[in-house]
Amino acid sequence: RKRRSNKQATRTSPKGTSSSSDTKEDGLLGDGMEGFFEMMKTNPALQDMLAKEHADPTVSLPEKLRAEIKEATSMLQCDVCKTSVTHLVKKLEGLRKARKALEDEDLIALNADSLCSVVRVSDSEFARKLEEVAPRPPEPAPWMDHYDVKPKKNGGWALKKLKRPVDKRARDAGAEVLRAGHVLRQACEDTIAANVDLVSERIYKMNEVLCS
């Protein structure tokens, strides 16, 4: 049994011409951007705002939407936990043949750690510079695109399996998609990520009983 030991934009002048004013303007724009990021690094209020967004990715959402996310997260913890564990086991079974991955508690824990969220790879110079000030907030894991969170007619919330996945990290995602993504991510973190050692041990022992 293996156990874990620890836990340019570029402006161009018309062909055949050059503009010294364009060159100066480009330089000023570049200097201004650098100055902006330097100011952010030394501005406690901005750093605090970015830190809060990293700790709680819903902080900038409308209050009504935040309240729905909080309520649905609390009510769906058990459903999301079961779904998360099912997804984790299927993922582990796909890593190695003959259930070998389920015999490696360290590998189980490693995959449980990364089950609930992802951090988008920076795709622009601006985003990379912003990460020097504060890390990007976590986003829902891709497997969560296959599920939705819907309000029940008589109150409460329901976790639904979608026929077609919806990208919950898309920049143009609507309020309902955002709500579902935040609920799934937070409920998963509250149950799985917060109890990685326990989850890993239980899955390991479950496999041990099934194979004995």
Side-chain angles (χ1 to χ4, degrees):
R1 174 180 178 176
K2 297 184 180 180
R3 298 300 303 269
R4 293 200 304 158
S5 55
N6 311 314
K7 234 174 140 62
Q8 262 154 34
T10 303
R11 295 181 57 182
T12 58
S13 299
K15 187 176 180 181
T17 67
S18 63
S19 170
S20 59
S21 62
D22 283 352
T23 304
K24 290 179 180 178
E25 189 174 347
D26 287 345
L28 286 172
L29 285 172
D31 291 343
M33 189 60 71
E34 288 295 332
F36 170 73
F37 284 113
E38 287 303 317
M39 179 271 292
M40 292 187 73
K41 292 178 183 178
T42 57
N43 188 310
L46 284 172
Q47 288 185 324
D48 182 60
M49 178 188 72
L50 292 170
K52 285 180 178 179
E53 186 176 6
H54 182 265
D56 178 10
T58 72
V59 72
S60 60
L61 297 177
E63 284 302 318
K64 180 177 182 297
L65 185 56
R66 292 189 70 193
E68 290 176 348
I69 291 170
K70 184 177 180 180
E71 180 183 70
T73 298
S74 176
M75 295 185 69
L76 293 175
Q77 276 195 351
C78 287
D79 291 337
V80 174
C81 181
K82 292 174 184 176
T83 303
S84 300
V85 170
T86 299
H87 176 78
L88 176 59
V89 171
K90 288 181 179 179
K91 181 180 179 181
L92 288 164
E93 288 177 335
L95 292 177
R96 296 180 185 173
K97 294 180 180 180
R99 305 179 67 87
K100 293 296 182 182
L102 296 176
E103 297 175 15
D104 186 341
E105 194 170 341
D106 189 56
L107 182 62
I108 298 172
L110 180 66
N111 281 272
D113 269 330
S114 59
L115 181 68
C116 303
S117 62
V118 295
V119 177
R120 190 191 298 270
V121 176
S122 299
D123 53 4
S124 69
E125 183 65 20
F126 182 86
R128 286 189 288 271
K129 283 287 186 182
L130 198 58
E131 286 183 359
E132 295 178 8
V133 181
R136 297 184 69 156
E139 299 179 349
W143 67 265
M144 296 175 179
D145 294 350
H146 295 268
Y147 297 88
D148 196 8
V149 172
K150 291 286 188 182
K152 293 181 178 179
K153 291 182 179 180
N154 299 323
W157 299 87
L159 182 66
K160 301 287 187 180
K161 182 75 180 288
L162 293 170
K163 293 181 179 179
R164 294 181 179 179
V166 177
D167 187 356
K168 293 177 172 57
R169 295 157 305 287
R171 289 187 174 89
D172 59 347
E176 291 188 3
V177 175
L178 286 174
R179 180 180 64 202
H182 284 300
V183 170
L184 284 156
R185 177 193 56 77
Q186 191 61 56
C188 180
E189 290 182 351
D190 290 346
T191 55
I192 304 297
N195 300 282
V196 167
D197 288 332
L198 178 61
V199 170
S200 303
E201 185 175 4
R202 292 289 175 85
I203 292 177
Y204 175 87
K205 288 184 175 179
M206 175 191 72
N207 178 70
E208 199 171 40
V209 170
L210 290 174
C211 295
S212 62

